[in-house]
Amino acid sequence: SITGEALEYIPHLEALDLSWNSDIGGNLSKVTQHIPVQFELKVLNLTECGLGETDGEALATAIGKMPHLEALDLSLNKYIGSIMNSLVVELKSCSSLRVLNLHATGLHQDNIQYLSAIFHYWPNLRVLDLSSNKEAGGGFREAAARLTAFKHLERLDIHQCCLSQDDVNALTQVIPLLSNLEVLDISSNKAVGVSPEYLFSRLRFLPRLKSVLVNNCSLKEESFAALAEASHYLLDLRVLDLSWNKCVGGKLKLLLDTLKTATALQSMVLSSCNLVTQDLAVLASAAQAGHLDSLQQLDIAYNDTVVDEGWMLFFESAHALKNITELDVSLRPSSNRSCGPWFIHLLSILVKLPGLRELGMQRWLLTAAEKQQLSYIMTEKNISILFD
């Protein structure tokens, strides 16, 4: 309540962040009742504040007093879905809205449909995060077409929304029209992987795309091939996450053209992809050719399918990853293997990579001598090495 009373004396306040205060839930009105009319606030963050149905009226009233609001974050308040329809009425007046974050807010299918009906009121929206709303599946069948109202949309995050096949089909038609999109996260949606490859083939029409996250989408061979082909046109690609898609194993060579052209690539995540020796040979070749000079993060953990020969090929060439800062080669939690003859090459690259700050080696069985060598390097080179 003290915070609420203070708002009366700072009408020109532009940002208010009350996140991670769970006691606000059920008591939001004690804060919002002091908000002056025509409040100049531009940023309101209420992440994980325990907001519920009893806070709906207070939140709606507060938003109605913020005509200049540009960023609203209600993430991790799992009951927002129950009050969303009342919020929509007031959100219409927020014509300056640029960022809307509703991650894990308990949105349902009807919430998505109702919310999308006012998309055209936010012509300047740049970021839309509707992720981790598992009951939202089916709601994008109609909402997808309304995304075209966002002419300047740069980030679309709908991961873990249990998208239906109809949702994916609708998004396939709309994706090419979001020409300013820079980040697309559709991870953890199984329907994406089993759908025809058309969704991925249309990514080529998004020239500004920098981040593509499709981890854990149950990709099929055709879908991965289409994604690999389309990514060749994404010259500014910086983040590519294909983790937990088993079909990638043995087929990483399909990304070879992308590795040659996406010279700005900074992060590649290929954990649990069933990689084999041939795949690590592709990475080694790309590194030697200088195609991965910008790479800072490489995650190839949980690929127990790679034999010693593959690790040898990789570590013999890993010194070419001259800007790498994070590297993870850990095994699955249920696995344990002794390091092979490649270990000596690993020690060599740890000395030759000045920027490396973190190395994941969990579940690799190390001898006392190997542990001692790694511990020495940790101290001398200031590298955090995670091993069991």
Side-chain angles (χ1 to χ4, degrees):
S1 60
I2 295 177
T3 301
E5 293 173 3
L7 295 178
E8 296 180 2
Y9 301 97
I10 44 178
H12 301 297
L13 183 70
E14 293 190 355
L16 177 62
D17 191 343
L18 299 174
S19 300
W20 316 106
N21 289 291
S22 58
D23 290 341
I24 291 179
N27 298 296
L28 186 62
S29 61
K30 294 180 181 180
V31 177
T32 59
Q33 66 181 340
H34 299 285
I35 293 178
V37 178
Q38 294 295 305
F39 200 28
E40 295 185 13
L41 199 72
K42 294 182 179 180
V43 179
L44 177 61
N45 294 334
L46 293 168
T47 303
E48 197 167 8
C49 285
L51 302 183
E53 294 185 38
T54 57
D55 300 299
E57 182 178 350
L59 183 56
T61 301
I63 292 174
K65 294 180 179 180
M66 303 174 185
H68 306 293
L69 193 64
E70 294 181 6
L72 176 63
D73 192 341
L74 301 175
S75 297
L76 300 174
N77 290 290
K78 60 183 180 180
Y79 298 113
I80 291 297
S82 63
I83 61 175
M84 178 52 65
N85 290 358
S86 60
L87 297 183
V88 165
V89 176
E90 301 300 338
L91 284 170
K92 287 182 180 180
S93 62
C94 299
S95 59
S96 299
L97 199 64
R98 298 167 64 91
V99 178
L100 180 60
N101 194 335
L102 297 173
H103 167 76
T105 48
L107 300 184
H108 290 71
Q109 181 184 69
D110 59 333
N111 294 140
I112 298 295
Q113 295 174 344
Y114 199 51
L115 181 66
S116 68
I118 64 167
F119 280 176
H120 61 282
Y121 286 93
W122 310 323
N124 300 308
L125 198 75
R126 260 62 171 180
V127 177
L128 179 62
D129 187 345
L130 301 173
S131 61
S132 295
N133 288 294
K134 297 181 180 180
E135 303 297 323
F140 294 90
R141 181 174 54 184
E142 297 178 9
R146 296 167 179 167
L147 288 171
T148 57
F150 303 138
K151 305 299 183 184
H152 307 287
L153 191 66
E154 297 174 357
R155 180 185 180 94
L156 176 61
D157 189 345
I158 50 176
H159 81 264
Q160 202 173 28
C161 282
C162 293
L163 298 180
S164 69
Q165 191 62 64
D166 287 339
D167 290 331
V168 175
N169 292 340
L171 287 167
T172 299
Q173 304 301 317
V174 174
I175 287 296
L177 305 177
L178 305 178
S179 58
N180 287 300
L181 203 63
E182 296 182 2
V183 178
L184 176 63
D185 189 347
I186 51 177
S187 301
S188 297
N189 287 295
K190 303 296 185 181
V192 171
V194 299
S195 68
E197 64 272 17
Y198 308 120
L199 173 62
F200 293 119
S201 64
R202 297 187 178 187
L203 295 184
R204 69 177 64 191
F205 299 110
L206 303 178
R208 299 187 180 183
L209 205 56
K210 297 179 180 178
S211 297
V212 178
L213 299 97
V214 292
N215 55 289
N216 194 28
C217 281
S218 296
L219 296 186
K220 303 303 179 186
E221 183 174 348
E222 297 79 6
S223 296
F224 174 59
L227 174 60
E229 182 180 0
S231 63
H232 176 49
Y233 297 88
L234 306 179
L235 303 182
D236 202 23
L237 188 64
R238 299 181 185 181
V239 178
L240 180 60
D241 189 343
L242 295 168
S243 56
W244 299 92
N245 288 296
K246 308 300 184 184
C247 73
V248 177
K251 301 178 182 64
L252 198 61
K253 61 183 178 181
L254 295 176
L255 279 174
L256 190 56
D257 286 339
T258 297
L259 297 179
K260 291 179 180 178
T261 56
T263 54
L265 191 64
Q266 298 176 359
S267 175
M268 177 176 278
V269 186
L270 299 167
S271 57
S272 194
C273 282
N274 276 4
L275 300 185
V276 296
T277 296
Q278 179 184 358
D279 299 316
L280 291 201
V282 169
L283 289 176
S285 175
Q288 288 178 324
H291 302 320
L292 301 179
D293 283 356
S294 297
L295 199 64
Q296 298 176 15
Q297 177 192 19
L298 177 60
D299 187 343
I300 48 178
Y302 292 14
N303 285 294
D304 300 40
T305 41
V306 177
V307 298
D308 283 348
E309 179 187 359
W311 293 116
M312 177 73 82
L313 286 171
F314 175 73
F315 285 118
E316 282 179 338
S317 305
H319 61 86
L321 301 173
K322 55 186 180 182
N323 286 308
I324 199 78
T325 60
E326 298 178 30
L327 175 63
D328 197 340
V329 297
S330 300
L331 299 176
R332 299 179 186 279
S334 59
S335 301
N336 287 289
R337 280 169 60 184
S338 298
C339 296
W342 50 265
F343 185 78
I344 188 65
H345 295 286
L346 169 64
L347 294 178
S348 176
I349 68 163
L350 292 181
V351 176
K352 296 177 181 177
L353 297 176
L356 187 65
R357 289 294 172 262
E358 185 171 316
L359 171 65
M361 283 196 65
Q362 293 178 303
R363 267 80 63 184
W364 285 104
L365 298 177
L366 304 173
T367 65
E370 290 169 341
K371 288 182 179 180
Q372 185 176 9
Q373 289 172 308
L374 288 179
S375 296
Y376 174 78
I377 291 176
M378 287 174 65
T379 302
E380 289 295 308
K381 296 296 181 180
N382 192 28
I383 302 175
S384 175
I385 305 178
L386 307 178
F387 58 87
D388 300 322

